Amino acid sequence: MDSTAQTILSNVGQLVGKEFQKLRAIGGEIEELRDELSTMHALLRMQTEAEDGAVDHFIREWMRQVRELTYDAEDCVDLYIFRIRSRPRDRFLLWSKRLVATLFPRHRLAGNIKALHERAVSISDRHARYGVGREALRRSPSTALTMAASSAARGIRSTDHTGQIVGMEDQANALAEKVKAGVYENGAERDMKLKVFSIVGFGGLGKTTLAMEVCRQLEVVFYRQAQVSVSQMFNMGEDLKELLKRVLQQMFKREAGNEEGNKENDPLAGIDMMDADQLGSKLKALLNNKRFLIMIDDVWTVAAWDAIHSKFPNNKCGSRIIVTTRIETVAKECSDPSADEYYIYRMQPLNPEYSRKLFLCRAFGTMAAPPHEQLEVTMDNILKKCAGLPLAIVSIASLLASYKYPERKDMWETICKSIGSQMESNPTLEGMGQILTLSYNHLPYHLKACMMYLSLFPEDYEINKNRLLYRWVAEGLVEDKRGLTLLEVAKSYFDELVSRSMIIPASSWGYAGRIEVCRVHDMMLEVMVSKSLEANFVSLVGGHYDGMFYDRVRRLSIQGIEHERRHSMERMDMQHVRSLSMFELNGKNLFDRLREFTLLRVLDLEGCQGLENKHVLVICQMYLLKFLSLKGTDISVMPNKVGELEHLQVLDVRDTNLHELPETVRTLEKVERMDLSHRKKWMIWWTLPKGLSKMKALREVARAEIDNVDVAREFGELGQLRHIFLFVNDHMHVDKKGDPKILREVALSLSKLYSLRFLGIGRLGTCEGKLDFLDRLPSPPRLLRYLFIDGEITKLPHWVSTLSHLTFFGGVWINLSGDHIFGILCKLPSLQNIKLWRACIRDSTLVLRSTHRLPVLRALSLCSTYCFYPEVIQFERGCMDRLEELSVTFHEGRGRRIVGIEHLKNLKQVQLTGKRNNDSLILAQEKLRSESNRRPKANQFKVIVRYE
């Protein structure tokens, strides 16, 4: 909502300087409107940063009017761009005709601008008339965090008051052993250095409870203990002083409260008069030769940690500090960076068994089954929604405990269906709402709209990272930062939300270690939906949101509509919609209304059925479109008019029936991502057109083909290109020496792509052709993270060994010796993942030698079903000390053995793939499991078999 106002100011400012010179009579009105919007934007920002309790209903309504004005102003600007403004390519005659044809719309626009200004003045007058003060919007420090954390800690304990925590015994025991490990080993004191352990996880997972239980278990080992909380608004002066005082008071309260009352030896004497530096000095003096354990709860920033940590002594007495935080980066800064991940404990949700126990304990006072079988199914549905989040389980179970039978069953079902809508209004859910909204409220200003944007996606929906980032950019939610592209800024937003545990990684790490898919916790999604609907940030239709009425629709998300309720969509006004997302399979009825969506910027129809080629013609007239995804639809023709979408940044037509894209796409000078693939035919991709050099903004192409020498030459002018899998077709481009000219041009162009991070390369055309031209690159892309070679090659290019940033290497059909491949790859200091698939190794025995040491390799994947070689895969001692995942595929008609697995000490998982009756696979499985069972339990690995 606030970022929308910021976008308005930018757009209006540009129009004042350029386009609205044609309407000078209202120039003053526009200036005044811009000033009003600037003031309102400041107020909107103050509201987003204010405490929830400080904003009453009147202020919320007034702010709603401000937001609607900003939306309408942006609609006015967009209509001007769409209907009136001259196009950059218009010549004089066309420009003159357009000027005359739009005379009346220009006058109507002038009236709209004037009306908007009058509305802005009216809203401001209303603000003054009713005496709304800025004081109500000022954010003040609050103790809510500490209260919520302590409330969560009390709530997770069982109601029988035995002091036992429910569902966290194993986690507490394991962490307690880690904390005291090294202090005592075999009865003797060992490692005496100060160690810092970090507990990191989403709000409400029970970090505080876990840390307090660990402290309780270690009271014998650590006599001096203190548990303190860090406020959200922590400062290095007064807050640091109060924290140090609490540490002193808890650690020395017994001495201070001695029966004789002797004040001369009171260690706490005079601490009320001390500043932070004096308190730090006193603490260091008192703890000089004493072992201590301090828990610091909810650290929000690295700066706060640095200030606190500097006041504690490193007295080499085996002392420990436990820090809890919601932010991954803070956890890493607090703990010893040289000790890898050992000192960081990532909270895990409760498993189904413990979730059930906790729920039963809170709802019925016992861990036995519920007294009525009819409640079992409803309870399971509730627990599924809670997803192992202790605070959510406790809050809902406590609410349900108040209902007695026989009304209990109906109320349980009602509450299960309406947990989200009751979250704010029902006081018994205030604790859960407080914890869940706290993380959101503490987000930086620029991340709040990005977080609310996630409410457009259905519950439990896996959101592709790139899809989300490009949509943020297209919606104007990403701020400009000097020296960075908008996509790079959006990536930093994503990483920060992951770090803050606001979004959850839902898939494995990608080639560069970054998460490629994410989702939002169901409970957090409910909070985001609530806030988004209140601000008219989104409009949701279908599923849980059937029957909801929206005055003006800005961002529309359709999540499944019952056939008998489709008439409600027919009455909806679509002229203000700027974003349309569909998550139901068939949207034909709505597709017939696409002409009404004149202001659409984002159109995401991924996976929708019923979209026809005639609808695509209408879409190509949506002049303001920035993001267009028709992935997974049935379209078979892309019109030439797609080249007129001059604002388009993303065109995704993967998994369709398209065979090609028209050459007019070369006029899309703002496109950053272009993806084409056929749902049935693998070898259909985008053939790069002549005029490619105009597409200077292009950053990412999933798969593409070059079959023209001129295009190969232009390819080198794409200076922003980061990601491409390129196939070179040389079938008609051979010079007198028999050397394909296109290969030379591609090699020259690749050497110019200094921004390239992801490169896949293959060759089509002459059947005997190899990829040896890669060795002739004048200068390789030095920043490559991912390299995949598809095709036969005499040797790996000499420059591969210089790619110091490379994290992934893959190959298919390269047909080289193992010694050659690993002799090159072992020189890469950052290589974490190797995948050698079909026909890569020509040796019957592949020896991974100790001389080919790969110090940071985490994953190795070898062979395919069609690989004859190698028959033996042998690991020597010291070759891959960090290897965690090994994948091997077994050929149907040949044997394959794995030798030396005992040398892979860090192995976590081995995956074997092949036919079910493959004898060598069965034998390998038995030997691997025997080796795993021989190891200590902490060092055992999983053996997974996947049958083809």
Side-chain angles (χ1 to χ4, degrees):
M1 54 188 176
D2 32 68
S3 61
T4 300
Q6 182 64 53
T7 304
I8 293 299
L9 296 177
S10 176
N11 288 347
V12 171
Q14 293 175 19
L15 293 173
V16 168
K18 298 178 182 178
E19 306 298 343
F20 279 98
Q21 290 180 1
K22 304 181 183 74
L23 297 167
R24 293 176 184 173
I26 61 165
E29 297 279 358
I30 298 167
E31 290 285 2
E32 291 183 28
L33 175 61
R34 185 173 67 169
D35 291 343
E36 290 287 348
L37 286 171
S38 182
T39 302
M40 291 178 179
H41 172 254
L43 290 170
L44 284 171
R45 180 162 186 165
M46 289 177 69
Q47 188 211 9
T48 64
E49 295 175 348
E51 296 280 356
D52 276 358
V55 183
D56 60 27
H57 294 294
F58 180 85
I59 296 175
R60 290 180 189 277
E61 171 59 25
W62 181 68
M63 286 298 182
R64 186 193 65 79
Q65 296 173 22
V66 173
R67 290 189 209 102
E68 290 303 312
L69 175 63
T70 62
Y71 282 131
D72 290 341
E74 187 166 17
D75 288 349
C76 184
V77 172
D78 286 345
L79 281 170
Y80 168 77
I81 294 173
F82 182 64
R83 294 177 177 170
I84 299 175
R85 193 191 68 168
S86 300
R87 305 291 189 260
R89 293 186 293 272
D90 288 352
R91 298 191 177 182
F92 178 76
L93 182 59
L94 186 58
W95 174 83
S96 301
K97 288 174 64 178
R98 189 173 186 84
L99 189 64
V100 174
T102 59
L103 182 61
F104 289 106
R106 288 174 188 276
H107 283 289
R108 190 161 53 248
L109 177 67
N112 291 340
I113 292 291
K114 186 174 182 178
L116 284 168
H117 177 242
E118 291 173 353
R119 277 180 61 191
V121 173
S122 176
I123 291 173
S124 296
D125 290 345
R126 193 175 299 117
H127 157 259
R129 187 163 64 250
Y130 287 99
V132 179
R134 292 196 304 274
E135 291 75 14
L137 299 179
R138 288 202 176 100
R139 186 172 184 173
S140 58
S142 173
T143 58
L145 175 62
T146 304
M147 293 171 60
S150 61
S151 175
R154 290 193 301 270
I156 199 169
R157 292 186 179 272
S158 60
T159 54
D160 59 5
H161 303 293
T162 60
Q164 298 297 315
I165 56 175
V166 178
M168 285 191 172
E169 296 91 340
D170 293 342
Q171 293 190 63
N173 293 338
L175 185 55
E177 286 298 320
K178 269 192 170 185
V179 171
K180 72 178 181 180
V183 178
Y184 289 104
E185 289 185 12
N186 299 322
E189 294 188 347
R190 299 293 297 276
D191 190 356
M192 296 292 103
K193 293 181 180 179
L194 175 68
K195 305 292 184 183
V196 182
F197 290 80
S198 297
I199 304 175
V200 61
F202 179 78
L205 271 175
K207 301 183 297 295
T208 304
T209 305
L210 177 63
M212 292 177 67
E213 175 62 15
V214 169
C215 291
R216 187 194 65 81
Q217 291 187 17
L218 298 179
E219 286 177 350
V220 175
V221 181
F222 300 92
Y223 175 73
R224 307 279 180 183
Q225 289 196 19
Q227 292 95 39
V228 292
S229 296
V230 179
S231 68
Q232 294 181 66
M233 309 297 291
F234 186 86
N235 63 64
M236 313 311 169
E238 197 63 26
D239 287 345
L240 179 58
K241 174 183 172 180
E242 290 301 316
L243 183 145
L244 295 173
K245 281 173 58 178
R246 293 198 302 273
V247 170
L248 283 165
Q249 289 166 349
Q250 292 181 44
M251 284 193 171
F252 299 98
K253 58 185 175 183
R254 296 176 187 175
E255 287 88 338
N258 61 73
E259 292 182 1
E260 291 81 8
N262 185 354
K263 298 297 181 182
E264 292 183 5
N265 298 321
D266 183 2
L268 303 182
I271 63 171
D272 291 333
M273 306 299 295
M274 296 180 183
D275 60 22
D277 289 335
Q278 292 169 326
L279 289 167
S281 298
K282 188 171 187 66
L283 188 62
K284 290 177 180 178
L286 291 173
L287 294 176
N288 184 35
N289 295 309
K290 298 179 176 65
R291 179 181 297 135
F292 60 84
L293 173 62
I294 301 175
M295 185 195 84
I296 306 173
D297 191 34
D298 258 340
V299 178
W300 287 85
T301 66
V302 174
W305 164 248
D306 289 342
I308 296 168
H309 186 223
S310 67
K311 304 302 179 185
F312 294 144
N314 184 3
N315 54 16
K316 297 184 179 180
C317 292
S319 299
R320 301 289 186 260
I321 297 174
I322 300 176
V323 173
T324 74
T325 180
R326 304 177 185 205
I327 304 170
E328 180 83 10
T329 52
V330 174
K332 290 180 178 178
E333 286 294 324
C334 293
S335 297
D336 186 355
S338 65
D340 212 7
E341 297 288 311
Y342 182 82
Y343 295 103
I344 299 177
Y345 187 89
R346 291 176 175 82
M347 288 293 297
Q348 300 298 318
L350 299 182
N351 63 32
E353 178 186 357
Y354 283 135
S355 295
R356 179 184 174 87
K357 287 182 178 180
L358 179 59
F359 183 93
L360 291 172
C361 190
R362 295 297 298 176
F364 300 101
T366 175
M367 294 186 189
H372 299 281
E373 293 181 359
Q374 296 93 327
L375 301 178
E376 285 276 358
V377 174
T378 307
M379 181 182 70
D380 289 341
N381 290 334
I382 291 172
L383 291 176
K384 184 178 179 181
K385 272 195 167 188
C386 292
L389 190 65
L391 183 62
I393 296 170
V394 167
S395 300
I396 295 173
S398 299
L399 170 63
L400 296 174
S402 62
Y403 295 104
K404 306 300 180 184
Y405 220 78
E407 79 272 20
R408 173 176 282 173
K409 182 177 184 297
D410 292 337
M411 291 309 303
W412 275 43
E413 291 178 352
T414 300
I415 291 172
C416 180
K417 293 176 182 177
S418 59
I419 287 174
S421 61
Q422 295 294 323
M423 190 177 298
E424 294 179 352
S425 59
N426 197 313
T428 59
L429 290 173
E430 282 182 356
M432 180 172 60
Q434 186 180 45
I435 290 293
L436 294 174
T437 56
L438 187 61
S439 293
Y440 171 80
N441 290 338
H442 193 75
L443 285 176
Y445 169 72
H446 58 276
L447 291 181
K448 289 187 175 180
C450 292
M451 193 65 202
M452 282 202 301
Y453 196 76
L454 296 171
S455 62
L456 287 167
F457 296 91
E459 185 176 319
D460 295 327
Y461 189 85
E462 286 196 351
I463 308 168
N464 179 274
K465 175 184 175 181
N466 280 340
R467 180 185 185 186
L468 178 63
L469 300 186
Y470 278 112
R471 286 186 56 157
W472 280 347
V473 171
E475 292 274 12
L477 304 181
V478 180
E479 298 177 343
D480 284 311
K481 285 189 178 181
R482 183 178 297 177
L484 296 176
T485 66
L486 288 176
L487 189 64
E488 288 169 340
V489 177
K491 286 181 178 178
S492 71
Y493 289 4
F494 183 92
D495 292 341
E496 188 167 358
L497 288 173
V498 171
S499 174
R500 290 173 175 268
S501 302
M502 298 293 288
I503 54 180
I504 305 168
S507 70
S508 60
W509 292 78
Y511 72 91
R514 293 186 178 89
I515 300 157
E516 301 300 323
V517 179
C518 72
R519 65 180 179 86
V520 185
H521 190 282
D522 293 348
M523 293 294 180
M524 178 57 79
L525 181 63
E526 293 285 1
V527 174
M528 292 302 100
V529 167
S530 175
K531 288 185 173 292
S532 297
L533 293 178
E534 178 188 355
N536 197 25
F537 189 81
V538 302
S539 300
L540 307 176
V541 176
H544 299 302
Y545 312 105
D546 263 344
M548 295 191 68
F549 172 77
Y550 304 101
D551 183 18
R552 288 201 175 185
V553 181
R554 311 291 183 177
R555 296 180 179 90
L556 178 60
S557 175
I558 301 173
Q559 302 182 4
I561 309 174
E562 298 294 336
H563 181 74
E564 61 273 13
R565 297 184 181 178
R566 291 184 182 272
H567 66 277
S568 63
M569 287 287 296
E570 296 173 2
R571 300 194 300 268
M572 192 174 289
D573 183 4
M574 304 299 184
Q575 65 175 325
H576 298 285
V577 178
R578 59 188 61 195
S579 171
L580 173 61
S581 307
M582 293 191 64
F583 301 96
E584 70 161 3
L585 290 179
N586 199 319
K588 189 176 186 307
N589 291 345
L590 187 62
F591 297 154
D592 293 335
R593 300 180 59 192
L594 283 174
R595 293 186 186 276
E596 301 175 30
F597 293 82
T598 54
L599 296 177
L600 212 58
R601 298 175 180 178
V602 172
L603 179 58
D604 194 338
L605 304 179
E606 182 175 323
C608 290
Q609 299 174 6
L611 188 72
E612 302 174 10
N613 292 332
K614 65 178 182 179
H615 298 134
V616 184
L617 280 169
V618 177
I619 291 171
C620 289
Q621 298 173 25
M622 295 176 177
Y623 182 70
L624 299 173
L625 266 184
K626 295 184 177 181
F627 180 100
L628 175 58
S629 175
L630 307 178
K631 179 183 176 183
T633 63
D634 297 325
I635 63 170
S636 58
V637 177
M638 180 61 67
N640 288 330
K641 288 181 71 67
V642 70
E644 298 181 12
L645 299 177
E646 68 174 66
H647 300 287
L648 199 64
Q649 298 169 353
V650 174
L651 177 60
D652 188 350
V653 286
R654 288 173 292 170
D655 193 29
T656 62
N657 293 319
L658 285 171
H659 284 78
E660 61 182 1
L661 292 174
E663 290 196 359
T664 55
V665 296
R666 64 174 175 260
T667 63
L668 301 176
E669 297 179 6
K670 294 183 179 179
V671 159
E672 298 186 23
R673 178 181 174 188
M674 187 86 76
D675 287 337
L676 165 67
S677 67
H678 196 281
R679 62 177 48 166
K680 295 180 180 178
K681 301 176 182 179
W682 187 82
M683 292 187 67
I684 286 180
W685 41 63
W686 182 31
T687 300
L688 301 181
K690 289 184 178 181
L692 176 70
S693 58
K694 297 178 182 178
M695 306 178 74
K696 291 290 195 296
L698 199 60
R699 294 173 54 92
E700 186 175 342
V701 181
R703 289 186 297 166
E705 176 182 337
I706 288 182
D707 64 358
N708 182 281
V709 174
D710 294 331
V711 175
R713 192 174 296 113
E714 289 186 78
F715 179 60
E717 298 182 39
L718 304 180
Q720 299 298 318
L721 193 65
R722 297 290 189 95
H723 178 125
I724 191 168
F725 204 123
L726 182 67
F727 292 91
V728 185
N729 192 335
D730 61 3
H731 67 288
M732 293 181 63
H733 304 282
V734 181
D735 61 13
K736 294 180 181 179
K737 298 180 180 179
D739 186 18
K741 293 181 288 185
I742 193 172
L743 299 183
R744 294 202 302 271
E745 293 297 339
V746 169
L748 288 171
S749 290
L750 285 173
S751 67
K752 299 175 184 177
L753 300 179
Y754 51 83
S755 294
L756 205 60
R757 303 295 199 275
F758 179 116
L759 174 62
I761 188 76
R763 183 177 174 185
L764 308 171
T766 54
C767 60
E768 71 278 4
K770 294 185 178 182
L771 291 167
D772 292 343
F773 75 93
L774 291 175
D775 201 43
R776 299 196 292 271
L777 265 66
S779 175
R782 298 289 182 186
L783 299 178
L784 272 183
R785 269 52 166 185
Y786 180 111
L787 177 61
F788 195 99
I789 298 177
D790 182 353
E792 193 172 1
I793 191 168
T794 302
K795 62 177 182 177
L796 290 183
H798 68 280
W799 45 262
V800 170
S801 62
T802 68
L803 300 176
S804 59
H805 299 284
L806 198 73
T807 61
F808 178 98
F809 177 84
V812 58
W813 303 114
I814 60 176
N815 194 28
L816 296 171
S817 72
D819 279 347
H820 173 72
I821 294 173
F822 287 94
I824 296 290
L825 299 184
C826 71
K827 300 176 183 178
L828 302 176
S830 304
L831 192 62
Q832 299 179 22
N833 195 327
I834 298 174
K835 182 175 182 179
L836 300 175
W837 197 40
R838 186 177 300 180
C840 285
I841 308 293
R842 65 186 181 202
D843 308 314
S844 61
T845 299
L846 171 64
V847 181
L848 286 313
R849 306 185 187 281
S850 56
T851 54
H852 296 163
R853 187 171 178 269
L854 292 152
V856 298
L857 192 72
R858 296 289 193 272
L860 175 65
S861 181
L862 296 170
C863 312
S864 77
T865 305
Y866 305 98
C867 289
F868 288 102
Y869 298 119
E871 295 176 342
V872 178
I873 302 168
Q874 180 178 341
F875 297 92
E876 290 187 353
R877 185 188 302 273
C879 62
M880 299 177 182
D881 290 338
R882 296 287 186 91
L883 191 71
E884 296 178 356
E885 297 180 16
L886 173 66
S887 299
V888 179
T889 303
F890 287 72
H891 187 275
E892 184 176 2
R894 285 178 176 260
R896 183 158 289 148
R897 294 186 297 123
I898 303 174
V899 179
I901 201 75
E902 66 273 11
H903 300 314
L904 304 180
K905 302 296 186 181
N906 203 43
L907 203 60
K908 302 290 190 299
Q909 176 180 303
V910 179
Q911 177 174 298
L912 308 178
T913 303
K915 299 293 184 181
R916 188 174 294 274
N917 58 353
N918 190 307
D919 291 336
S920 60
L921 186 153
I922 295 171
L923 181 60
Q925 176 185 352
E926 292 174 354
K927 289 186 175 180
L928 287 168
R929 286 182 173 158
S930 175
E931 167 61 25
S932 177
N933 292 333
R934 189 184 62 80
R935 300 184 178 193
K937 189 171 183 179
N939 296 331
Q940 292 180 357
F941 55 87
K942 292 190 294 185
V943 180
I944 301 172
V945 179
R946 185 171 65 86
Y947 296 108
E948 294 182 332

